[in-house]
Amino acid sequence: GTHVELQPTWCKGGRGRIVPVLSEEARFWLEQAKKLALKPEDSLIQKGKQFIEQRKLYDNQNERACVKHPHGFRHTYAQNRYFMLTGWECPKR
């Protein structure tokens, strides 16, 4: 519950990542996800569905929630994490 370890094959550049879980809310949702994928080889993509089908479902849910650019969440996380580690605003902000 302290971090999420991303396998190199999942990551840009083939470099694995460790993403810390920093809040109780994030920890809660991580625990919910773990209930869906009980074994390491399990996936959060439903059995019988292809990745692209799951991606379309994800995109549809974002659209219904009026989230136009969900990649922005990644930028927000990175900027907040930069501030937490350095005490400075991100130069791009």
Side-chain angles (χ1 to χ4, degrees), residues 3-11 14-19 74:
H3 67 277
V4 174
E5 189 170 340
L6 303 175
Q7 297 177 12
T9 55
W10 301 344
C11 299
R15 294 179 50 210
R17 310 282 195 279
I18 293 179
V19 181
R74 182 177 179 173

Side-chain angles (χ1 to χ4, degrees), residues 31-49:
E31 291 302 319
Q32 296 303 307
K34 285 166 59 178
K35 290 176 185 176
L36 296 173
L38 300 174
K39 298 176 281 188
E41 64 271 12
D42 286 348
S43 173
L44 293 177
I45 298 173
Q46 293 177 353
K47 289 190 188 315
K49 276 197 176 185

Side-chain angles (χ1 to χ4, degrees), residues 1-88:
T2 62
H3 67 277
V4 174
E5 189 170 340
L6 303 175
Q7 297 177 12
T9 55
W10 301 344
C11 299
K12 187 174 184 177
R15 294 179 50 210
R17 310 282 195 279
I18 293 179
V19 181
V21 178
L22 302 173
S23 70
E24 288 303 316
E25 181 180 12
R27 204 165 276 111
F28 170 81
W29 288 112
L30 179 59
E31 291 302 319
Q32 296 303 307
K34 285 166 59 178
K35 290 176 185 176
L36 296 173
L38 300 174
K39 298 176 281 188
E41 64 271 12
D42 286 348
S43 173
L44 293 177
I45 298 173
Q46 293 177 353
K47 289 190 188 315
K49 276 197 176 185
Q50 300 273 326
F51 170 81
I52 192 65
E53 293 171 300
Q54 188 69 30
R55 175 62 194 260
K56 287 178 183 175
L57 178 64
Y58 169 78
D59 290 341
N60 185 289
Q61 294 296 318
N62 277 319
E63 190 174 311
R64 288 179 62 202
C66 298
V67 175
K68 300 232 186 281
H69 302 286
H71 191 75
F73 294 131
R74 182 177 179 173
H75 294 282
T76 300
Y77 170 82
Q79 291 174 4
N80 290 339
R81 186 75 175 132
Y82 182 90
F83 182 78
M84 288 173 68
L85 294 171
T86 66
W88 303 323

